[in-house]
Amino acid sequence: MTASQHDIDSPENLERRRHGQEVLARIDGHQGEAVIDSLAGINPAMGHHIAAFAFGDIYDRPGLDARSRQLVTLGVLTALGGCEPQLKVHIGAALNVGISREEICEALLHSAVYCGFPKALNATFAAREVFDQRDADPLGR
């Protein structure tokens, strides 16, 4: 590895992060940026890599549309279990990219076949929290 790969503030990495933050904002709105910002005081490199790699390099690839990527993400986070904070962010992102509440619930039910009901139940309860928060927010965020 070259030293520039470790320098999150190199011109190349700043451009990758900027691009990733644009993609993140399109998908997650303000919630994704809040996650990145929350890492600044403890692990800014983690925030950089989430923006630059996960969103700039992977989420913006042409092979899948945003809806498909979010459905995959919901299934994987459900199957992993213990990822409810991240799952809530991605449930919000799924709503942002046009996936309906019914489709989200169907995806979580479908996940139960492969990862078990306890994990799918936890994901469903996370979805309920997101839906309730959206219902309580007059702007629907």
Side-chain angles (χ1 to χ4, degrees), residues 13-138:
N13 282 327
L14 286 172
E15 177 54 30
R16 287 181 60 235
R17 184 166 66 231
R18 183 203 58 74
H19 173 70
Q21 288 171 311
E22 287 175 4
V23 174
L24 179 62
R26 284 195 315 258
I27 295 168
D28 285 336
H30 69 284
Q31 237 184 343
E33 194 61 38
V35 171
I36 302 299
D37 291 346
S38 73
L39 294 166
I42 187 167
N43 195 342
M46 176 80 75
H48 165 79
H49 290 294
I50 290 170
F53 174 70
F55 286 90
D57 294 346
I58 301 300
Y59 265 78
D60 207 32
R61 290 176 54 83
L64 293 173
D65 64 6
R67 285 178 49 88
S68 298
R69 288 188 190 282
Q70 284 308 313
L71 285 170
V72 169
T73 302
L74 295 181
V76 170
L77 290 174
T78 298
L80 285 170
C83 301
E84 286 73 23
Q86 294 79 20
L87 188 57
K88 289 176 191 177
V89 171
H90 286 283
I91 289 167
L95 293 167
N96 292 346
V97 299
I99 299 173
S100 71
R101 292 176 183 205
E102 294 77 19
E103 290 171 310
I104 290 168
C105 289
E106 190 65 28
L108 301 179
L109 174 60
H110 185 77
S111 297
V113 174
Y114 297 95
C115 68
F117 281 96
K119 289 178 180 178
L121 280 168
N122 289 342
T124 299
F125 295 142
R128 180 175 55 195
E129 285 184 44
V130 173
F131 299 162
D132 289 349
Q133 288 171 346
R134 292 263 176 137
D135 289 344
D137 184 342

